[in-house]
Amino acid sequence: MKKVLVCKEKDKLETRVALIPDDIKKLSQLGFEFTVVSGAGIKSGFSDEAYKAVGAKIVEKEEDAYSSSQIVVRILKPESASGLPTDCLHLSYLDPFNEKELLNNFASKGVQAVSLEMIPRTTLAQKMDVQSSQTSLAGYVAVLNAASHLPKILPMMVTPAGTINPARVFIIGVGVAGLQAIATAKRLGARVDAFDTRPVVEEQVKSLGASFVKIDLGEMGQTSQGYAKELTPEQIAKQQEVQAKVCEKSNIVITTAKVFGRKAPRLITKDVLDRMQPGSIVVDMAVLTGGNVEGSKFGENVVTQNGVTIMSGDLLERQVPYDASKMFSGNITAFLTHFYNKETKEFEINLEDEIMKGCLLTKGGKIIHERFIEK
């Protein structure tokens, strides 16, 4: 398997491309052959000419190249597997917990579908982890967006006209996005507090110069994939109570709490928003999975009656598409390289490999991943 098709994203809001010219050049040296849909990289700063310069063939429509493609890569899930050749390998986000019909469609067409969200969060697979690379950028953008709407500056300033105190930023959820948000807010001079249900991250928070908010929730921890375990209703209530007191004092609150495959926990209710200072900003980075903040809406800023702005914080990596594409492309390149057999000089699907076993959902005309097989 060497013939790779790079698709143009059909969602008009999507700005990224799955592979950039520099990585195509690297992979071409291993024998991979590339076809790129015209305009695929335009929004992220990569022209058709740049792809041609590294040896890629340009086609007008992805459907024109399906029959000659063995590997198909894109960012977002397609509407269906229609037109894809039997046994081709398809790589993209698939939202597998919510797309059973699409998975069945892939299986019925004989397509081998990789869900990029399902790549294991292990040390070896870290360089292939699109979730981490993209949410890291999103955490950075979340702080910049909030700062641009906040009616005060972030750093402390001592001036002849008086002293300006630093803005207070509260980060809820210290995963990849949260850590980047902490680091960005600190670089901009804010005073930062952070909380996570996993006590193990306290040291990381402090190493970035932030204060860790301690809430005794009883037994907690993280999953084998590195995500926070789901809270009980009693634990959520206790967390909300302590968080509300920190939110009252904060100028910016950023929530990053997502539970993979399930609805996001509600962390900030209307009651908490009503107690916050007018002009405060809340960025909800879990809008698409139900939202951490009551009243948040995807793609919109919502202003409450007391003047708190709730900002949509999902898919913020789209605002920095050049670097987001570069990182996503690096993840795909690492994946293709990892399964490239130097002896046969071919990309090979090895189900004995824990990474492939963790993310390949369909093969041989059926769903093979144990978490999605209907019983």
Side-chain angles (χ1 to χ4, degrees):
M1 302 180 81
K2 289 183 178 179
K3 296 181 179 179
V4 183
L5 171 63
V6 181
C7 298
K8 179 180 179 181
E9 300 303 316
K10 294 185 177 181
D11 186 335
K12 293 182 179 179
L13 296 177
E14 186 53 67
T15 57
R16 297 166 291 172
V17 65
L19 276 169
I20 68 171
D22 280 352
D23 287 327
I24 285 179
K25 183 177 181 180
K26 293 175 188 175
L27 290 166
S28 295
Q29 294 171 357
L30 296 177
F32 287 97
E33 300 172 25
F34 291 89
T35 299
V36 179
V37 178
S38 180
I42 292 295
K43 291 182 180 179
S44 46
F46 303 100
S47 66
D48 287 355
E49 289 68 29
Y51 284 104
K52 289 179 183 178
V54 294
K57 177 185 176 182
I58 304 297
V59 293
E60 286 301 313
K61 298 185 299 180
E62 62 189 56
E63 292 80 5
D64 295 339
Y66 273 170
S67 61
S68 60
S69 301
Q70 297 169 314
I71 301 172
V72 178
V73 297
R74 68 176 96 226
I75 304 283
L76 302 180
K77 61 190 176 189
E79 292 183 358
S80 75
S82 179
L84 291 169
T86 301
D87 288 333
C88 84
L89 183 73
H90 183 280
L91 290 83
S92 74
Y93 286 118
L94 285 181
D95 191 16
F97 289 99
N98 299 307
E99 290 290 348
K100 291 183 179 179
E101 185 177 338
L102 180 60
L103 291 189
N104 286 324
N105 185 231
F106 271 114
S108 67
K109 297 293 183 181
V111 176
Q112 303 178 96
V114 166
S115 174
L116 297 176
E117 302 101 315
M118 296 298 295
I119 289 177
R121 304 192 86 180
T122 61
T123 301
L124 181 60
Q126 192 172 27
K127 57 188 176 182
M128 311 172 204
D129 186 359
V130 295
Q131 294 280 73
S132 292
S133 72
Q134 300 303 293
T135 56
S136 176
L137 290 170
Y140 165 84
V141 175
V143 174
L144 296 190
N145 285 355
S148 69
H149 283 76
L150 191 69
K152 73 180 266 63
I153 63 172
L154 264 64
M156 182 179 82
M157 280 193 184
V158 180
T159 76
T163 298
I164 299 173
N165 292 324
R168 297 192 63 158
V169 177
F170 182 30
I171 312 295
I172 304 175
V174 190
V176 175
L179 287 170
Q180 189 58 246
I182 292 169
T184 302
K186 285 298 295 183
R187 284 195 293 266
L188 292 174
R191 175 179 172 179
V192 183
D193 296 300
F195 170 74
D196 195 285
T197 58
R198 301 164 296 164
V200 69
V201 303
E202 180 177 356
E203 187 176 334
Q204 290 176 285
V205 169
K206 290 181 176 179
S207 71
L208 292 172
S211 298
F212 187 75
V213 177
K214 292 187 177 182
I215 306 175
D216 184 8
L217 297 175
E219 184 180 353
M220 283 307 305
Q222 58 187 5
T223 67
S224 59
Q225 291 284 299
Y227 296 101
K229 288 185 177 179
E230 191 172 13
L231 300 181
T232 65
E234 293 76 16
Q235 288 173 317
I236 290 174
K238 188 170 185 178
Q239 179 182 342
Q240 289 174 336
E241 179 186 344
V242 178
Q243 282 176 176
K245 295 177 181 178
V246 184
C247 289
E248 288 178 40
K249 300 181 290 184
S250 300
N251 304 107
I252 295 173
V253 178
I254 299 176
T255 68
T256 73
K258 293 183 180 181
V259 183
F260 187 49
R262 294 191 292 273
K263 186 178 179 180
R266 182 57 50 83
L267 302 179
I268 297 181
T269 60
K270 182 179 182 300
D271 173 65
V272 177
L273 293 167
D274 289 343
R275 290 154 59 183
M276 292 179 65
Q277 306 168 44
S280 300
I281 307 292
V282 180
V283 183
D284 186 347
M285 296 187 71
V287 179
L288 287 176
T289 53
N292 296 146
V293 183
E294 185 175 354
S296 63
K297 295 181 180 180
F298 177 66
E300 296 182 31
N301 290 347
V302 178
V303 181
T304 66
Q305 288 186 337
N306 63 320
V308 175
T309 299
I310 308 169
M311 301 183 71
S312 171
D314 251 315
L315 296 173
L316 296 182
E317 58 269 27
R318 289 177 174 178
Q319 294 183 29
V320 285
Y322 179 87
D323 287 316
S325 296
K326 184 176 181 180
M327 293 175 76
F328 193 101
S329 179
N331 297 141
I332 298 296
T333 299
F335 186 90
L336 295 178
T337 304
H338 180 78
F339 293 102
Y340 175 79
N341 188 318
K342 293 181 180 178
E343 294 182 4
T344 63
K345 296 184 178 179
E346 290 281 349
F347 177 92
E348 297 178 354
I349 295 175
N350 176 17
L351 282 175
E352 297 299 315
D353 188 293
E354 289 300 314
I355 297 172
M356 184 65 76
K357 186 178 179 181
C359 65
L360 186 67
L361 307 191
T362 64
K363 182 177 174 61
K366 59 184 180 180
I367 295 173
I368 63 168
H369 197 289
E370 61 183 5
R371 294 186 70 176
F372 304 102
I373 296 173
E374 294 184 359
K375 300 175 181 179

